Amino acid sequence: MIVVSDASPILNLAAIHRLDLLRALYERVAIPETVYAEIAGSADALPGALEFKAADWIEVRRPGDTALVTTLCVELHSGEAEAIALAHELRADLILLDERKGRAAAARLNLKVVGLLGVLVEAK
């Protein structure tokens, strides 16, 4: 299963020391470089920072479709835009997004979207 994530699901799970749920559910998760930088830049101040930094099952990738990223950046934060572009490029089975605008943009590209609540429900 190919899963791509934006920053918020990872940050929120790391904050409650439950980043392990993503590994248990999906084994591997891909994130774009911008999302990694966003998380790593704030991770030291967060609970779960060491867990995130040690998560070798999170794969950092660069989306190749820069035109799609540029188009998405008109309405979205760069991390969301890159996550959506990466999910589209990888033909991901799932993208983890919480923000409404990002979810709508992903849906327009026929991506299956799950937010943090959906991850928690699936884990239960």
Side-chain angles (χ1 to χ4, degrees):
M1 174 178 265
I2 300 171
V3 178
V4 175
S5 184
D6 185 30
S8 62
I10 293 173
L11 283 168
N12 288 317
L13 287 169
I16 61 170
H17 297 285
R18 291 311 314 254
L19 196 54
D20 63 303
L21 292 177
L22 293 181
R23 185 173 194 182
L25 292 170
Y26 312 121
E27 292 184 36
R28 298 192 67 76
V29 174
I31 61 173
E33 292 173 335
T34 300
V35 168
Y36 178 84
E38 182 180 339
I39 296 168
S42 62
D44 288 338
L46 295 174
L50 294 177
E51 184 181 13
F52 171 74
K53 289 180 179 181
D56 61 353
W57 50 271
I58 296 177
E59 180 182 348
V60 181
R61 307 260 318 247
R62 179 182 302 206
D65 191 346
T66 56
L68 179 56
V69 172
T70 301
T71 300
L72 291 168
C73 278
V74 170
E75 63 178 309
L76 304 173
H77 177 274
S78 61
E80 291 170 311
E82 286 190 15
I84 292 168
L86 182 61
H88 187 260
E89 180 178 316
L90 296 176
R91 299 176 191 239
D93 299 292
L94 192 63
I95 182 165
L96 307 178
L97 284 167
D98 286 326
E99 293 78 10
R100 188 176 334 148
K101 284 184 180 181
R103 293 170 69 96
R108 285 195 304 270
L109 292 171
N110 297 315
L111 296 170
K112 183 177 177 188
V113 181
V114 171
L116 178 60
L117 183 58
V119 170
L120 295 173
V121 167
E122 187 176 344
K124 185 181 180 316

